[in-house]
């Protein structure tokens, strides 16, 4: 395997689903399925051993569900792969819970093979596996959570203040659902600079992906 290949870990308690995904992804010239796990409880060890770039994670598993496993990956140190959560049904509650846990996006299991392959590529590149329209709707839905608005905004603004002004500008653009290229055009930056600011912001806030950053920017509101 060469350095530019994308390493994928499959996590699903159904062996037939794992086999189908392995066959599907095996046809892509730059993807390698480096391992499988049958339960969320095995994910942390598998990630530490295999260092995948992307994890395709089932939600419902008998010992530890996929959302809890995703949350655990976000809380641990070391290698943090992008997680795409696989769901049987496109249920808002499940999707929102997965995004809050740190997932880069979600796919329903009957997604066409070419879209799953494309989603793996996008997740590995740090892009959300959601269209800008869906991302915007989900961010709005999450913002209406259980916490009182004023308290949620205060906490978000405290964290948002840890970023540099340029990082905050990039984060606000991400919250609008803009792509890296669109952000570069708006802020008169190169795409590489946008990626660098995103990476710096995520590291500073100990976040795993741009959707979490977008949620924070939305909750913080305008200065």
């Amino acid at each position: 395997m060469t350095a530019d290949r994308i390493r994928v870990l499959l996590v699903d308690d159904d062996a037939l689903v794992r086999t189908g995904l392995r066959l599907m992804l095996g046809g892509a010239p730059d993807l390698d399925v480096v391992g499988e796990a049958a339960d969320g409880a095995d994910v942390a060890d598998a990630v530490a051993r295999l260092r995948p770039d992307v994890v395709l994670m089932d939600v419902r598993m008998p010992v530890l569900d996929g959302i809890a496993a995703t949350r655990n990956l976000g809380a641990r140190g070391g290698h943090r792969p992008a997680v795409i959560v696989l769901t049987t049904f496109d249920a808002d509650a499940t999707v929102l819970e997965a995004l809050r846990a740190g997932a880069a996006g979600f796919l329903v299991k009957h997604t066409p093979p070419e879209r799953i392959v494309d989603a793996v590529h996008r997740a590995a590149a740090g892009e959300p596996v959601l269209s800008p329209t869906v991302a915007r709707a989900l961010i709005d839905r999450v913002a209406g959570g259980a916490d009182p608005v004023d308290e949620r905004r205060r906490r978000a603004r405290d964290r948002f203040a840890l970023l540099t002004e340029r990082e905050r500008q990039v984060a606000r653009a991400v919250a609008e659902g803009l792509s890296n290229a669109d952000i570069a055009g708006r802020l008169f930056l190169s795409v590489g600079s946008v990626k660098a600011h995103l990476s710096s912001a995520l590291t500073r806030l100990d976040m795993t992906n741009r959707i979490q950053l977008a949620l924070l920017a939305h909750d913080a509101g305008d200065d």
Side-chain angles (χ1 to χ4, degrees):
M1 291 180 288
T2 60
D4 58 348
R5 296 180 69 83
I6 298 171
R7 299 168 61 85
V8 183
L9 174 68
L10 307 178
V11 184
D12 198 296
D13 63 335
D14 189 330
L16 288 177
V17 171
R18 297 198 309 273
T19 298
L21 287 170
R22 178 181 283 276
L23 291 172
M24 180 191 311
L25 297 175
D30 59 346
L31 302 183
D32 288 306
V33 176
V34 295
E36 300 179 10
D39 194 88
D42 302 321
V43 170
D45 285 344
V47 166
R49 284 187 296 104
L50 302 170
R51 299 184 65 81
D53 301 300
V54 177
V55 177
L56 289 180
M57 181 91 75
D58 187 24
V59 172
R60 297 181 181 178
M61 292 179 283
V63 178
L64 188 70
D65 66 63
I67 292 174
T70 300
R71 188 177 296 113
N72 288 347
L73 285 179
R76 66 191 287 275
H79 183 65
R80 289 183 180 180
V83 176
I84 301 173
V85 170
L86 299 173
T87 67
T88 304
F89 300 104
D90 183 3
D92 280 351
T94 298
V95 173
L96 295 178
E97 194 175 359
L99 297 180
R100 280 297 196 196
F106 73 98
L107 294 171
V108 291
K109 288 187 176 180
H110 58 263
T111 298
E114 64 274 12
R115 288 190 58 195
I116 291 180
V117 171
D118 178 64
V120 170
H121 283 112
R122 285 190 286 127
E127 298 285 346
V129 185
L130 298 167
S131 71
T133 301
V134 172
R136 177 74 265 162
L138 288 174
I139 289 168
D140 287 342
R141 181 75 61 94
V142 171
D147 293 339
V149 173
D150 289 344
E151 176 62 16
R152 185 176 66 245
R153 176 157 292 184
R154 183 192 65 76
R155 292 201 310 267
R157 287 186 169 183
D158 286 347
R159 294 198 72 199
F160 207 55
L162 299 174
L163 302 179
T164 67
E165 177 57 31
R166 182 63 89 184
E167 287 168 352
R168 289 195 292 270
Q169 290 172 347
V170 170
R172 292 187 188 103
V174 168
E176 294 179 39
L178 299 185
S179 68
N180 288 348
D182 290 336
I183 296 171
R186 172 183 289 188
L187 299 180
F188 304 102
L189 297 170
S190 69
V191 171
S193 293
V194 171
K195 291 180 178 179
H197 287 303
L198 278 172
S199 178
S200 176
L202 293 176
T203 299
R204 201 184 303 276
L205 297 172
D206 195 28
M207 291 179 168
T208 58
N209 63 66
R210 64 194 286 149
I211 292 178
Q212 291 176 307
L213 183 62
L215 293 174
L216 179 68
H218 186 283
D219 285 350
D222 294 327
D223 291 336

